[in-house]
Amino acid sequence: RALGQALATPGGSVRAAPLYTRLTGLRVGPGDLAVVEGECTTKAEAAARVAAATEARDRADRIAREKEKAEKARKAAEEAAARAGSEDRAALEAERATFGDILADLEKYIRTFDYDMALSQGDKVAGRLRAADLKAQLEDRLSIVRQYAALLTRLRKDINAGALRDPVVTFGRDNEGKGKLTEATAKDYAIAIQGGQARMKWKDLRPAQLLDLLRRMDLGPSDQFVLGSWCLEADLPADANRAFVAALRDSSKKRLIDEALARYYGINVPEGGFVLFLGRLVTPTEKQNVEAGLVFYAGQWVTPEDRKMLEKGFRKFGNKWAKEEAELVAAGYIKYKELWYTPEELDVLRSNWDEAWEYETAHYKIRCNLADSFGKQLCQILEQAYAAYAKHFGKEPPAAKMTMLAFRTFEDYRRYCIETKAEAYLQALGFANPATNVCCGYKKFGTDDMIGTMIHEGAHLFHDRAHNGMSPSWYHEGHATYFEGFVWDGTTLTFNWRPGNRIYWLKEAYRKDRLIPMGDIMRGDALSSINKGVDESSLFYSESWALYTFFTECTDPEIAPKWSALRTRFDTGRGGNFSGDGALEMVTDVFGPDLSAVEAKWKEWIGGLK
């Protein structure tokens, strides 16, 4: 502080510099010093502190604006509901309860490049939405998808016309195959190889592979902007930057690029926007720090010398570097692979699936690349779910611990599906494989959704391992969705067997008389329903829950004993074909050929659901 006061006097910086050098051990000249909040420091440190304060202020402003926007939307929705009649209110309530599921279903198609399906389903939903804010949100998303669809359509046309700059591609899990692109459809493309051809599905590609093909077209600035936005969604920021730089040939794209990058990085658009520096679009702050000789490491700008110390596991306390474990532990650092990190730094590092957190409980081995705090919660949740599974299914699986994989992103999940030859599940939220004793899921929106996915897939794995039987798809999904009815308060997992989103889908379908007939549900298949669209998929899962729950909770003497016998057949895998007409025949073998009376009671039960 005294040096800070000295700097304010004529010639003070000349006198302060040698004193500051002796005090800190840093070599500085008079021109290197500055005053921040009354204290003497270096200009580089001053700039870093100002930048940090600015970023914190921007973040707070952004959160405040988002809260204000959410509050306005909530009030608008409440006012609209208040003006509506009872039927309109029920429809609006159902829309809000199921909108997250609709978006998640559309994203399954978008992430696997099935843009035609995403658009057809999205337009269908948008046409019936009543809530103006939900409709606007959906249409904003669809407008972006239309741009992606246009790029992919052009790629297909160029392949069919032989207009790509280079039609030669590699294929296979290790790129061991090589051939020439000859034909493309909405679902797949053909590669001419020696002795014939190979057909590859678009959905089985990784984003980097599709990007390689898109870059072989002649792309103008508008195309490059769309490609850059696509790369950001695919979590390919370096490739997005490259495309955006190319898009800047059209200066009118500058504002759109600034907004896209700011959304991706979770910051406000910096004053003057992002600037081109060393071939990249960066914030003015980043440019200033790089020009000052600083480097970015573990979430902060540091000198190259400091980075070397940090990389060796040292941490700075005041002006002292320390690696004594007691001192680092006391300061809140955590040791991982011989290096020390703050909890926040470690969460960032381990968000990479290859460095994912690993846990072991009484019944599970869990791997998760979300935050450590969530991983520890998941351990508690799954153990409490295990007890509920055991009580409900009446039998426990073999002693070998089950493996649960909780992926932070769809790209982590995509990679796992491809590596384990489970591409059929790419458009699902997760799956269980009793043969390998593994189940998995990814975070579609937030951690609440992730918990539901892991409990759902955990029920599949528990049941299949415990009973070692075959069962129809509706029964399989019925007991898994049964466990989606829960409340987690941060400590205790309580099951009420009533998943609200499933009930909203049922009530709306019941009210509009568009329930899928019971027989069709019993013949149906979960994966096939996903390929039919949002409504079919959501209704199949919801009605599977309704069938399973109705039968499980039914006390009617004409139904309950027959259900007990049918459930035993399913759980033991005895007697029948478990798909298509065979699955329905297993039910009619027990209940009789005419299910109309049972279906009438089932629909009456659905009508009374709250």
Side-chain angles (χ1 to χ4, degrees):
R1 286 194 293 272
L3 287 178
Q5 293 170 0
L7 284 180
T9 65
S13 61
V14 175
R15 294 191 297 274
L19 293 173
Y20 188 85
T21 296
R22 291 201 297 274
L23 176 67
T24 65
L26 298 174
R27 290 190 173 278
V28 298
D32 295 326
L33 297 179
V35 179
V36 177
E37 297 178 353
E39 293 188 8
C40 176
T41 185
T42 65
K43 287 184 177 178
E45 173 65 18
R49 289 167 66 174
V50 169
T54 300
E55 290 177 359
R57 185 171 61 253
D58 288 346
R59 186 164 53 251
D61 290 345
R62 184 177 69 256
I63 291 171
R65 285 195 300 273
E66 289 173 351
K67 286 183 177 179
E68 182 181 1
K69 183 179 178 181
E71 180 63 17
K72 286 181 179 178
R74 185 187 66 79
K75 288 181 179 178
E78 288 179 350
E79 290 169 1
R83 290 192 299 269
S86 59
E87 186 170 313
D88 286 342
R89 286 198 299 272
L92 286 169
E93 189 177 358
E95 282 184 4
R96 296 195 179 282
T98 59
F99 189 65
D101 292 328
I102 290 170
L103 289 182
D105 279 333
L106 291 178
E107 288 299 323
K108 290 186 294 191
Y109 304 123
I110 295 167
R111 290 171 182 268
T112 52
F113 319 129
D114 193 350
Y115 300 129
D116 292 342
M117 174 66 93
L119 290 172
S120 67
Q121 292 297 307
D123 288 338
K124 179 180 176 183
V125 172
R128 68 169 185 256
L129 283 176
R130 301 186 184 190
D133 59 325
L134 299 185
K135 191 180 184 80
Q137 183 180 343
L138 177 57
E139 289 179 340
D140 283 347
R141 182 63 177 139
L142 294 179
S143 68
I144 296 170
V145 176
R146 285 190 181 92
Q147 297 176 63
Y148 298 160
L151 268 187
L152 188 55
T153 298
R154 277 184 53 198
L155 176 61
R156 293 199 298 264
K157 289 181 177 178
D158 280 4
I159 291 173
N160 290 327
L164 286 187
R165 281 194 296 271
D166 179 7
V168 176
V169 294
T170 57
F171 60 93
R173 296 182 189 282
D174 299 315
N175 292 322
E176 69 279 7
K178 193 173 185 179
K180 180 180 179 180
L181 289 167
T182 58
E183 177 197 352
T185 70
K187 294 294 183 183
D188 60 13
Y189 58 94
I191 302 174
I193 58 176
Q194 187 175 4
Q197 72 171 12
R199 297 202 75 89
M200 312 292 291
K201 294 179 180 178
W202 296 110
K203 73 181 183 68
D204 293 344
L205 286 176
R206 296 183 183 182
Q209 293 173 307
L210 180 53
L211 174 61
D212 174 56
L213 297 180
L214 292 169
R215 280 179 173 161
R216 301 184 189 197
M217 297 191 296
D218 292 325
L219 302 175
S222 294
D223 301 322
Q224 292 286 3
F225 170 73
V226 174
L227 186 61
S229 300
W230 183 88
C231 287
L232 288 183
E233 288 200 20
D235 202 23
L236 299 170
D239 294 296
N241 209 296
R242 175 180 168 184
F244 284 150
V245 169
L248 283 176
R249 296 199 302 265
D250 179 353
S251 59
S252 68
K253 298 292 183 290
K254 177 72 168 62
R255 179 181 60 82
L256 296 174
I257 291 170
D258 286 342
E259 292 173 352
L261 287 172
R263 281 195 301 272
Y264 179 77
Y265 292 118
I267 61 175
N268 293 326
V269 175
E271 186 175 351
F274 290 81
V275 295
L276 187 58
F277 179 63
L278 300 178
R280 295 175 54 242
L281 289 167
V282 301
T283 65
T285 300
E286 181 176 352
K287 179 176 181 291
Q288 182 181 14
N289 284 322
V290 172
E291 288 177 330
L294 301 179
V295 293
F296 196 71
Y297 179 78
Q300 59 184 325
W301 290 97
V302 297
T303 66
E305 293 76 15
D306 284 358
R307 175 171 181 161
K308 290 178 182 178
M309 295 297 288
L310 291 167
E311 288 175 335
K312 293 177 182 178
F314 285 87
R315 287 298 179 267
K316 203 171 190 177
F317 300 92
N319 292 312
K320 175 188 174 186
W321 290 100
K323 201 175 181 180
E324 290 80 8
E325 294 202 4
E327 189 173 0
L328 291 168
V329 170
Y333 286 90
I334 302 170
K335 191 176 185 180
Y336 176 65
K337 293 186 176 179
E338 302 304 316
L339 298 180
W340 292 88
Y341 302 88
T342 65
E344 295 76 16
E345 290 170 351
L346 197 52
D347 274 340
V348 171
L349 173 67
R350 305 196 75 170
S351 66
N352 182 320
W353 182 251
D354 293 332
E355 300 287 348
W357 298 95
E358 294 182 344
Y359 312 90
E360 192 161 341
T361 67
H363 301 98
Y364 294 101
K365 293 179 179 179
I366 300 166
R367 187 172 172 88
C368 168
N369 62 336
L370 284 81
D372 183 37
S373 57
F374 175 78
K376 290 173 178 174
Q377 278 194 67
L378 191 58
C379 292
Q380 299 178 57
I381 290 166
L382 289 174
E383 279 301 322
Q384 291 181 47
Y386 183 97
Y389 299 150
K391 182 178 180 180
H392 181 74
F393 292 127
K395 185 180 179 182
E396 294 186 44
K401 293 184 179 182
M402 292 174 280
T403 297
M404 311 290 285
L405 307 178
F407 298 106
R408 182 178 63 87
T409 69
F410 176 78
E411 292 309 322
D412 294 329
Y413 175 73
R414 186 204 304 270
R415 172 184 166 189
Y416 177 75
C417 287
I418 292 173
E419 289 178 350
T420 58
K421 300 183 180 181
E423 291 91 343
Y425 296 97
L426 276 171
Q427 290 182 336
L429 294 175
F431 65 94
N433 186 344
T436 59
N437 200 21
V438 176
C439 79
C440 63
Y442 71 90
K443 186 182 73 159
K444 57 180 180 180
F445 290 124
T447 53
D448 288 346
D449 294 313
M450 184 64 169
I451 291 169
T453 296
M454 298 310 291
I455 290 175
H456 176 110
E457 299 302 337
H460 280 318
L461 187 61
F462 186 103
H463 177 270
D464 290 350
R465 294 280 295 171
H467 288 285
N468 196 30
M470 295 289 290
S471 59
S473 189
W474 72 267
Y475 179 79
H476 197 57
E477 297 304 336
H479 61 63
T481 50
Y482 190 63
F483 281 92
E484 289 178 10
F486 67 88
V487 175
W488 168 249
D489 64 6
T491 304
T492 304
L493 186 67
T494 305
F495 287 96
N496 55 26
W497 322 115
R498 294 294 184 272
N501 58 331
R502 305 296 185 190
I503 294 176
Y504 274 110
W505 276 104
L506 282 168
K507 295 292 284 186
E508 273 299 282
Y510 175 82
R511 187 171 65 84
K512 295 178 179 178
D513 194 27
R514 59 181 181 85
L515 285 170
I516 301 171
M518 176 185 282
D520 290 346
I521 290 293
M522 290 177 172
R523 292 188 190 92
D525 173 73
L527 281 179
S528 296
S529 76
I530 290 173
N531 293 323
K532 292 178 181 177
V534 173
D535 290 341
E536 289 79 357
S537 173
S538 296
L539 267 181
F540 180 85
Y541 278 85
S542 298
E543 291 191 39
S544 294
W545 169 84
L547 276 175
Y548 184 85
T549 306
F550 167 73
F551 283 131
T552 298
E553 298 179 357
C554 186
T555 57
D556 187 324
E558 291 296 316
I559 294 176
K562 295 176 181 178
W563 169 244
S564 179
L566 184 61
R567 186 175 175 179
T568 298
R569 289 184 68 180
F570 288 158
D571 288 345
T572 56
R574 292 200 302 267
N577 179 356
F578 295 92
S579 62
D581 289 338
L584 177 60
E585 288 170 5
M586 291 191 72
V587 180
T588 56
D589 282 349
V590 176
F591 280 88
D594 186 359
L595 295 176
S596 57
V598 176
E599 184 165 17
K601 291 180 180 180
W602 174 59
K603 287 184 177 180
E604 181 182 358
W605 177 82
I606 290 174
L609 283 170
K610 302 295 183 184

